[in-house]
Amino acid sequence: MDKTGAFVISLDFELYWGVRDKRTIPSYEQNLLGVRRVIPALLELFAKYEMHVTWATVGFLFCESRKELASVVPRHLPAYSDEKLSPYPYMETDAIGEHEQVDPYHFAPSLIKLISSYPHQFIGSHTLSHYYCLEPGQTPEAFAADLDSFHRLTRKKGYAPSSIVFPRNQVQSAYLSLCKKKGFRSYRGNEQSWMYHTRGAAEETLFKRAMRLMDAYVNLSGHNNYVSLQRSPDGMVDVPSSRFLRPYHPRLQRLEKWRMKRIKCDLTHTAEHKRLYHLWWHPENFGSHMEENLSFLEEILQHYSMLRERYGMQSLSMEEAAAKWNHQEVRHEVLV
């Protein structure tokens, strides 16, 4: 196909599994419950602008009940040095309800079915358990077992995800061959700038977080778009991130025009130079200040629509980008 600029969107769909070690349910309840309104609204926006989107989904969310959740526990569990990272002791407590109707924080089969009912929406993997690939104590055996359980569960539900997003962007290049063996063909790597290089949580610094926050408003790291996609020796295609779509915050309201300008400039540069740009966020991020977040997103999609008319820019899911867009063979293992 003729090469044009490409706009990729991926969403990390986690509910409470993604923040369980950092927040309590009451402290994040508005966001978690808001997802039940956010996802239908996002799907309507994506349909309106004909957006192709990947939903990287935590495997536990596919479960219909607490009983089914218990049945998908892998044979090998991660022995994180930081014990609170493991969800498995938590699963044995009374925090988990019997099914989605009484526990909207840990189950989401109805939302997954809704997503799948819309055109050009792709279900990807965010691992079974929101697995942390760079945290001390985890092993290749435990990661492979996590993928095995995810594979069995999703196949039973009628899904065959071919893309994977590593939780907390902890890309472990040594695990790409395992992902390929489990049927995955693409993953989301990280931006090339030093401020986006990921390590375990203990190595994350306040300075790097501050720089990433500033980069959302002022161009510190470049446009983070890509001339080509890299393919590992085992065949995994890196569809790397360009920008995290930070949610609206009232304290930063005066900076919103700069946040918008940053993304629009990125997209325009991408279209003009026939590159690829990858925007991502969590649907839970929009649970608070939903109207402001959706309005901000629609302005981005309107800008993309203009670029599509002017330059032929196309919307691609991660899966489509890996299959269709410009690839470059690489001979090294580190693809971040």
Side-chain angles (χ1 to χ4, degrees), residues 181-202:
K181 290 177 182 177
K182 304 303 179 184
F184 296 107
R185 295 191 291 273
S186 63
Y187 71 101
R188 190 179 72 209
N190 297 312
E191 294 92 322
Q192 296 176 350
S193 171
W194 64 269
M195 69 181 74
Y196 294 100
H197 291 178
T198 55
R199 298 292 186 269

Side-chain angles (χ1 to χ4, degrees), residues 1 17 111 113 121-122 143 171 190 198 203 217 250 258 264 278 294 311 321 334:
M1 64 182 295
W17 298 111
L111 291 176
K113 290 176 183 176
Q121 306 304 301
F122 294 74
F143 179 67
V171 177
N190 297 312
T198 55
E203 299 179 45
Y217 301 94
W258 296 103
K264 284 184 176 180
H278 188 167
L294 290 173
Y311 298 103
V334 181

Side-chain angles (χ1 to χ4, degrees), residues 50-64:
E50 300 179 346
M51 305 305 297
H52 298 212
V53 178
T54 295
W55 296 74
T57 306
V58 168
F60 288 157
L61 298 182
F62 289 85
C63 293
E64 301 278 349

Side-chain angles (χ1 to χ4, degrees), residues 59 180 189 195-196 219 237:
K180 181 64 175 179
M195 69 181 74
Y196 294 100
N219 189 344
V237 178

Side-chain angles (χ1 to χ4, degrees), residues 77-82 86 131 135-139 142:
L77 302 183
Y80 300 117
S81 299
D82 183 352
S86 176
Y131 190 99
E135 295 299 336
Q138 65 80 34
T139 63

Side-chain angles (χ1 to χ4, degrees), residues 13 55-59 61-64 68 100 108-118 121-125 147-163 182-185 319:
F13 185 23
W55 296 74
T57 306
V58 168
L61 298 182
F62 289 85
C63 293
E64 301 278 349
E68 185 175 25
E100 183 179 14
S110 68
L111 291 176
I112 297 170
K113 290 176 183 176
L114 179 65
I115 293 166
S116 300
S117 72
Y118 275 72
Q121 306 304 301
F122 294 74
I123 301 297
S125 173
L147 293 188
D148 280 338
S149 292
F150 179 90
H151 178 91
R152 287 192 298 271
L153 174 61
T154 53
R155 293 307 190 275
K156 183 176 74 172
K157 303 293 182 179
Y159 299 95
S162 64
S163 64
K182 304 303 179 184
F184 296 107
R185 295 191 291 273
E319 295 80 0

